[in-house]
Structures are given as C-alpha cells and as structure tokens.
C-alpha cells in the first residue's frame, strides 16, 4: 500500500496540469487493482470486469483531457462511481449475474498481492481472500454493493447514498446488515479468516 495516496494523486494531477500525458496513465495504474476488483465484485465475471475497467479508463481519460474533472482528493471515489454505473448498466442489460471462475483457478486477490510475502503467507492470504469473496457473494446485492464501494471504492457513506439514490441511513443499514450477514455466515459455517 502507498503511504500517502492523497499526496501521490495530487502530484499526478499537478503533472497533468503541466501537460504531462503520461501522468494520467500513471494515476490510473496506481489504482488499477482496487478499481478492477470493485468491478469484479459487482459483476462476478473477470472478463466483464476487465471491459468495465477499460471503459471507465476511457471515460476518465476523456474527462481529464477535456478539463471536466477538478482534483479535490476524490479521484478513486469518482472513478469508483463510473465503475459502479457501468457495472449496473451491464447487470441491467444481461438480467443475470453470471459467476465465472478464473480459467487458471487463480484467485482474483492474487492480483492485489504485493509480492513481498513468502509462499506460505501467499497461500494463507489467497485462501482468506477467496473466503471473503465467497461470503460477499452470499449477501444480498444491495448490501454487497455498499460494502464494495465503501471498502474498495474509498467512498464515504454520503457519497454512496448519493450514488445509489438512497439515504445515508439506508446505506449505513445496508453496510451494517452486510457485515452482520457475513459474520453470521462465518459463524454458521465455522469459517476462519
């Protein structure tokens, strides 16, 4: 993890304002795993998540080049909203939530691994992350959406409420019940994370 994401993002935007086009790509690359994973948790399909992430990048690039985005330290929540909207559009179009496992059997959390762990730690992390993903898949969609946007989208409850056209109390309730339901599943199935 980065020590101070705000400063890093602000530095990237300063470079963008100075006309350095590569700074946009670097900014997106810094948050790629987090945003891709948010898309994956919402659509549960690796290939669709890749398409959604790519489409979000295209939209972000266009908006930044047009000067339609002013950096206020909210880059990740802004892109997370775009990813979320694209995911909802996909779900509405497909009218189903297909679940596809990775062809090589690898866990999606492996992409988030920093590479600084030994083999045993990687195996434990992979198993824990797989379990957490499975638990997320078991809770209702509206709860899963809030948990994903809060944890992986770095969005505040107020931002999630605005994005989902809900009240803050509704969002807080969905987060609470989502975590309660996940904890209940852990207890019922005697799972250790």
């Amino acid at each position: 993890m980065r020590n101070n994401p705000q400063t890093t993002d602000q530095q990237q935007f300063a470079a963008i304002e100075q006309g350095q086009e590569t700074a946009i790509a670097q900014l997106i690359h810094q948050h790629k795993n987090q945003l891709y994973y948010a898309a994956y948790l919402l659509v549960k399909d690796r290939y669709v998540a890749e398409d959604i992430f790519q489409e979000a990048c295209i939209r972000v690039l266009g908006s930044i080049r047009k000067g339609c985005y002013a950096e206020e330290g909210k880059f990740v929540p802004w892109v997370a909203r775009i990813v979320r909207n694209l995911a909802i559009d996909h779900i509405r179009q497909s009218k189903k939530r297909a679940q596809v496992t990775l062809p090589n059997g690898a866990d999606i959390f492996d992409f988030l691994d920093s590479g600084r762990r030994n083999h045993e730690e990687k195996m434990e992390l992979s198993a824990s992350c797989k379990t957490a993903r499975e638990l997320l898949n078991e809770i209702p969609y509206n709860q899963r959406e809030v948990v994903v946007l809060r944890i992986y989208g770095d969005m505040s409850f107020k931002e999630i409420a605005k994005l989902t056209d809900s009240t803050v109390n509704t969002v807080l309730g969905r987060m609470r019940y989502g975590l309660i339901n996940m904890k209940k599943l852990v207890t019922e199935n005697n799972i250790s994370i």
Side-chain angles (χ1 to χ4, degrees):
M1 282 200 140
R2 291 170 292 144
N3 293 335
N4 190 345
Q6 290 287 62
T7 304
T8 305
D9 290 353
Q10 289 172 353
Q11 290 171 346
Q12 294 294 344
F13 275 101
I16 291 167
E17 289 174 0
Q18 294 172 0
Q20 296 177 16
E21 285 285 317
T22 59
I24 297 172
Q26 291 170 351
L27 183 64
I28 291 171
H29 183 73
Q30 285 174 325
H31 301 290
K32 177 184 177 193
N33 290 339
Q34 181 180 16
L35 296 167
Y36 167 81
Y37 185 66
Y40 179 79
L41 285 176
L42 293 171
V43 297
K44 299 181 192 174
D45 185 319
R46 172 186 173 189
Y47 303 107
V48 173
E50 287 173 5
D51 290 343
I52 287 171
F53 178 73
Q54 288 176 5
E55 177 64 27
C57 289
I58 291 168
R59 291 184 183 193
V60 166
L61 184 62
S63 294
I64 291 174
R65 283 184 175 161
K66 290 177 187 173
C68 297
Y69 177 74
E71 169 57 15
E72 297 174 359
K74 301 284 185 180
F75 179 74
V76 172
W78 174 59
V79 181
R81 275 188 228 101
I82 294 170
V83 167
R84 181 242 183 213
N85 289 340
L86 290 169
I88 287 185
D89 289 345
H90 169 76
I91 291 168
R92 285 181 183 153
Q93 289 173 357
S94 68
K95 302 268 183 176
K96 61 181 179 178
R97 295 183 196 141
Q99 188 167 359
V100 178
T101 28
L102 299 175
N104 64 359
D107 191 273
I108 194 67
F109 284 90
D110 292 341
F111 295 110
L112 301 174
D113 191 9
S114 67
R116 295 187 201 137
R117 295 176 171 87
N118 66 35
H119 182 68
E120 185 177 316
E121 289 173 329
K122 287 181 183 178
M123 294 297 288
E124 288 176 15
L125 176 65
S126 179
S128 294
C129 292
K130 182 177 180 183
T131 302
R133 184 186 74 223
E134 289 170 354
L135 291 173
L136 269 174
N137 289 338
E138 295 297 318
I139 64 175
Y141 180 80
N142 61 357
Q143 295 171 10
R144 181 172 63 243
E145 178 182 47
V146 171
V147 172
V148 168
L149 291 173
R150 178 73 177 139
I151 294 172
Y152 296 97
D154 284 338
M155 295 178 76
S156 69
F157 291 115
K158 186 176 179 180
E159 291 169 327
I160 296 170
K162 184 176 179 182
L163 181 64
T164 59
D165 199 27
S166 305
T167 65
V168 173
N169 286 338
T170 299
V171 170
L172 288 169
R174 288 176 182 168
M175 180 74 170
R176 179 176 179 261
Y177 286 115
L179 295 175
I180 287 171
N181 287 334
M182 289 175 70
K183 185 177 180 180
K184 184 178 174 184
L185 288 168
V186 166
T187 304
E188 288 174 356
N189 297 307
N190 198 22
I191 299 170
S192 84
I193 298 180

